[in-house]
Amino acid sequence: MIKVLHIGDIVGAPGRTLFARVAHRMRAEEQVDVIIVNAENSAAGRGLTPGLAEELFAAGADVLTLGDHTWDQKEIMPYLDREPRVVRPANFAPGCPGRGITTVETPKGRISVMSLIGRVFMPPADCPFRTADELLKKREQLGPMIFVEIHAEATSEKIALGRYLDGRVTSVVGTHTHVQTSDEALLPKGTAYLTDLGMTGAKDSVLGRALDPVLKKFLTGLPTKFEVATDAVALEGVLLTVDPKNGRAAKIKRIRETT
């Protein structure tokens, strides 16, 4: 069996530091074989830079995923074209830099990671359901283990996508809300599912951002710079146990590691 750790949105330096610590320990203890990380808030809460991507790979990540903050750091655009281990949502407009699915070889077999972005309460994007269908037409190239991340606001959209892909992929997990849900399950046809992985960042915060600026924004409506919070940092996600021969998930376990 292969053990895959899928981590929720890393927020700034506090999240990156804790991720490196937990990833090193879990790999040293042979608790995980592959690590997938949502990195779209790694650069002070907004996007990802090439340098920070390399930092996360050095810390233990095998694949990095992005979301609605993909383009916040402009230097990421050429990097996405040359680094296959970073995926942005596949249902962005055609012609965007980068890729929405990647396949990497691991000591325990080939894995593919697909990134999608939701459309409910989110910026315009192509249909994630039909995009997934198109990508899965090439499944002989993808291998049996296919991990799908849906970066979306609405829980209904995430649940619907999980059910839509049930039996066709190894797992469907959500990101973006930074709040970990408690509905982890093996769906009827065998796909592992969780509505939201949560985040890897400061819990004494509003979604990883310092309290006072966020409260000021809510109270006044005035433009405010949201600083990354630093207290009570936690890493959240799931640990998946998967049969590499058929790609079916045998177990899904929600995790939270704190400082």
Side-chain angles (χ1 to χ4, degrees):
M1 303 296 277
I2 184 171
K3 293 183 178 180
V4 178
L5 182 65
H6 202 148
I7 297 299
D9 309 46
I10 288 181
V11 183
R16 300 196 311 269
T17 300
L18 181 59
F19 165 71
R21 186 183 311 155
V22 172
H24 176 76
R25 174 178 59 78
M26 294 186 76
R27 282 198 184 274
E29 296 174 355
E30 298 184 345
Q31 296 183 46
V32 297
D33 301 300
V34 175
I35 302 178
I36 304 167
V37 179
N38 183 286
E40 77 132 13
N41 296 124
S42 296
R46 297 189 65 87
L48 177 69
T49 66
L52 292 181
E54 295 299 325
E55 176 186 317
L56 293 172
F57 287 133
D62 292 289
V63 176
L64 303 179
T65 60
L66 297 171
D68 59 311
H69 290 297
T70 295
W71 313 123
D72 286 5
Q73 305 294 328
K74 303 307 179 187
E75 62 266 40
I76 200 65
M77 294 187 185
Y79 183 80
L80 292 182
D81 281 331
R82 67 176 185 266
E83 178 49 79
R85 295 174 295 172
V86 183
V87 289
R88 45 78 174 164
N91 53 322
F92 278 169
C96 287
R99 60 195 54 76
I101 191 168
T102 192
T103 300
V104 298
E105 297 292 341
T106 78
K108 290 198 173 183
R110 181 190 308 168
I111 71 160
S112 294
V113 179
M114 181 191 306
S115 172
L116 300 166
I117 196 165
R119 297 196 294 181
V120 180
F121 311 127
M122 297 287 280
D126 292 340
C127 177
F129 295 81
R130 291 185 174 88
T131 298
D133 284 339
E134 287 300 312
L135 293 175
L136 290 174
K137 288 179 180 178
K138 302 177 181 179
R139 64 177 309 120
E140 68 280 354
Q141 303 170 26
L142 304 178
M145 293 184 285
I146 304 172
F147 303 89
V148 177
E149 182 182 307
I150 171 68
H151 196 76
E153 190 76 40
T155 55
S156 59
E157 189 174 22
K158 296 177 185 180
I159 292 169
L161 184 72
R163 292 292 181 154
Y164 186 69
L165 296 179
D166 185 18
R168 294 195 281 161
V169 299
T170 302
S171 67
V172 176
V173 296
T175 53
H176 180 63
T177 72
H178 293 206
V179 177
Q180 189 181 60
T181 57
S182 60
D183 60 339
E184 69 274 19
L186 294 177
L187 298 179
K189 297 179 184 178
T191 293
Y193 176 81
L194 181 70
T195 296
D196 203 286
L197 295 174
M199 72 171 180
T200 300
K203 302 301 287 185
D204 187 7
S205 70
V206 177
L207 307 184
R209 304 304 184 95
L211 293 168
D212 289 345
V214 177
L215 291 175
K216 180 180 178 181
K217 174 70 173 180
F218 276 116
L219 289 168
T220 67
L222 296 173
T224 307
K225 184 178 180 180
F226 293 165
E227 302 288 349
V228 172
T230 59
D231 295 332
V233 183
L235 175 148
E236 296 175 330
V238 292
L239 184 61
L240 303 163
T241 304
V242 180
D243 186 336
K245 294 180 180 178
N246 57 26
R248 290 180 66 88
K251 184 177 180 181
I252 177 171
K253 180 182 179 182
R254 182 164 36 99
I255 68 165
R256 176 178 290 143
E257 298 276 347
T258 59
T259 52

